[in-house]
Amino acid sequence: MMLEILGHHRNLNAARNFLFSIEKRSDGAVKLEDRFFNSLIRSYGQAGLFQESIKLFSMMKSLGVSPSVVLFNSLLSVLLKRGRTNMAKSVYDEMLSTYGVMPNTFTFNILIRGFCMNSMVDEGFRFFKEMSYFKCEPDVVTYNTLVDGLCKAGKVSIAHNLVKGMRKRSMDLNPNVVTYTTLIRGYCMKQEIDEALVVLEEMDSLGLKPNIVTYNILIKGLCEAGKLDKIKEILEGMMGAGGFTPDTCTFNTLIHAHCSVGNLDDALKVFAKMFELHVRLDSATYNVLIRSLCQIGDYGRAEELYDDLSEKDIMLSNVGCKPLVATYNPMFEYFCGNEKTNKAERVFGQLMKRGTQDLPSYKTLIMGHCMEGTYEAGYELLAWMLRRDFVPDVEIYESLIDGFLQKEKPLLAQQTLEKMLKSSHLPKTSTFHSILVELLERGCAHKSTSFIMLMLLFGSGLRDKAFQIIGLIYENGYSVKMEELVGFLCESRKLLEACEMLLFTLDKHRSIDADMYNTVILGLCKTNKLSEATMILGRHTPI
């Protein structure tokens, strides 16, 4: 159907236009039906545009199209996924009272899931009890949804009793693996491991085999409760009667558990077992081991794992957990402190591609480059920081500026200083002076005008130094574009400084543009600085 195709490709305006052109396109042969509106309402919901779903619903009603239970179900689902529980209640009441549409089991499953998902389990339970009034029989999805909501609310014993009542309600209504796995997760979250094991036994007595998710949840619960001795028994059952091979999640949970209690050797044995069973390793597998090895100062073994991680480009895989840059900061510090910053930057580059980085890691790498004298590489990282809205601190800027000055690269030092000012850090006066001296010594006097502008703009404490430097420039046979400076000061509304600069220029017997001369005088007059304006007029006539 065209509406569904357009909706699937998020061409929602086109889908809406198509919907309202159906009657015209068919010369009235095809009438607007609620199923057409239902398709677009669902598409709006999938795009997160719940308000558009509501508008379309209102428009449908104004056109005299009666909504069916299927359409109401779609609208309720859209609203509840967006947390609009009050609006969902209103739509449900309208469904019953205005249109007389009877809800079905799907309706109640949507309502129960939606209210439980929004931490309103009691309201979900109310809808569950209301099902019998409308002669709707709950199915296993209904029970699983309610059990999940109750468990997340910490009401695991009530959820367990609900499951026990399932079989009493109907011979055809039996809990499944999802039901029991949810219960096991609930008990594990409360660290009631013995109860979780009882549920596992119940599953076995009913002939239900746990799946890999069930085992992973139970193993995680045992790890968090510190019952590592019981895990071996569970694993044997998993690989024996269960017929499952532990997956990446299983092994990561075990590695984390061993590392948490300081059993690093056992964690490394589990790591080795993953290779033996050809289980896929992800960034989380390496994360916890590298961090633990760093904590005990075993950077040698940590580096071996780090190299393996780097070479296999595991960080770039979208499978598994998103890596945390904070985990690798100890290794970055180690590498950058031992002249191996490039090695640190390889993994950091992979982390950047995954969209995960933090301020400490940037600083560590930039300072590492500064220690190794590779200031340009540090500057590139600085640029990346700023693009990603991280604000470098003063130490980063000063280290790069000092480095560029040592390497006799004043233009890069100036660019770094300009970025420093944009980051709202005010450099020391000596930093300005050092860069200007290098600019002049390296034959970059043409850059001095813009640099003096910066000094005059940022802080009154730099003004006197700026005028001293201009004097030194002239004394050494260089010139400054005074019109640019005076014009800049006028635009920045620093008219007294503009006046002082103009008088300085006249003292040096330099020509000044008549328009600029008039601009300064006019600006001073507008701000009631008449004595200063008179002083300029009394000194010289513009050339």
Side-chain angles (χ1 to χ4, degrees), residues 67-70 72-73 92-108 133-136:
S68 66
V69 67
V70 174
F72 274 114
N73 287 349
Y92 178 68
D93 291 340
E94 184 180 5
M95 171 183 168
L96 299 176
S97 58
T98 304
Y99 291 96
V101 174
M102 291 296 103
N104 56 22
T105 300
F106 291 110
T107 312
F108 285 108
Y133 177 80
F134 292 98
K135 296 181 174 55
C136 292

Side-chain angles (χ1 to χ4, degrees), residues 410-411 436-448 478:
L411 291 178
L436 261 175
V437 169
E438 282 295 320
L439 284 171
L440 294 173
E441 287 184 358
R442 301 297 152 201
C444 302
H446 61 287
K447 291 286 184 180
S448 61
Y478 296 105

Side-chain angles (χ1 to χ4, degrees), residues 203-423:
M203 289 183 72
D204 187 57
S205 67
L206 293 170
L208 289 172
K209 288 188 175 182
N211 60 22
I212 190 69
V213 178
T214 315
Y215 281 117
N216 284 343
I217 288 169
L218 191 55
I219 289 169
K220 184 181 179 185
L222 289 165
C223 289
E224 289 175 350
K227 296 192 175 184
L228 301 182
D229 54 329
K230 185 70 179 174
I231 291 174
K232 186 178 180 182
E233 181 184 327
I234 297 296
L235 284 172
E236 287 174 353
M238 176 183 181
M239 299 176 73
F244 289 104
T245 300
D247 63 5
T248 306
C249 180
T250 317
F251 281 108
N252 286 352
T253 302
L254 290 170
I255 289 170
H256 185 271
H258 284 303
C259 288
S260 296
V261 295
N263 294 337
L264 193 51
D265 288 338
D266 289 336
L268 290 167
K269 287 177 184 175
V270 174
F271 181 69
K273 193 74 175 175
M274 293 182 77
F275 282 97
E276 184 184 321
L277 296 175
H278 304 290
V279 176
R280 179 184 56 81
L281 290 83
D282 65 9
S283 63
T285 315
Y286 287 91
N287 284 358
V288 65
L289 285 169
I290 290 173
R291 184 179 62 221
S292 298
L293 288 165
C294 289
Q295 285 171 349
I296 64 170
D298 191 347
Y299 290 101
R301 280 199 290 180
E303 187 170 355
E304 289 175 13
L305 290 176
Y306 184 95
D307 290 343
D308 191 41
L309 173 73
S310 175
E311 289 165 10
K312 293 178 179 176
D313 288 337
I314 289 172
M315 292 288 192
L316 300 177
S317 172
N318 289 319
V319 180
C321 302
K322 192 173 184 178
L324 296 172
V325 67
T327 305
Y328 298 96
N329 281 341
M331 280 306 296
F332 293 158
E333 289 172 8
Y334 168 74
F335 287 134
C336 294
N338 289 274
E339 299 184 352
K340 297 179 180 180
T341 303
N342 284 336
K343 179 177 276 195
E345 196 164 344
R346 174 170 168 74
V347 167
F348 184 70
Q350 293 175 6
L351 288 166
M352 286 175 68
K353 288 178 182 177
R354 291 294 306 276
T356 175
Q357 59 253 293
D358 63 9
L359 184 58
S361 56
Y362 271 114
K363 181 171 182 177
T364 299
L365 267 71
I366 291 171
M367 298 306 287
H369 280 302
C370 289
M371 286 174 61
E372 294 176 32
T374 50
Y375 299 104
E376 288 89 342
Y379 183 82
E380 286 180 21
L381 282 174
L382 175 75
W384 278 110
M385 275 187 85
L386 294 168
R387 279 182 218 162
R388 283 163 169 73
D389 295 323
F390 289 104
V391 181
D393 62 19
V394 172
E395 186 181 9
I396 290 174
Y397 281 116
E398 288 183 343
S399 298
L400 286 170
I401 291 170
D402 290 345
F404 287 133
L405 291 175
Q406 288 172 23
K407 293 282 187 178
E408 300 178 351
K409 295 183 177 180
L411 291 178
L412 282 172
Q414 180 182 346
Q415 290 170 22
T416 306
L417 184 134
E418 288 170 359
K419 286 180 169 55
M420 183 178 185
L421 292 168
K422 288 177 183 177
S423 296

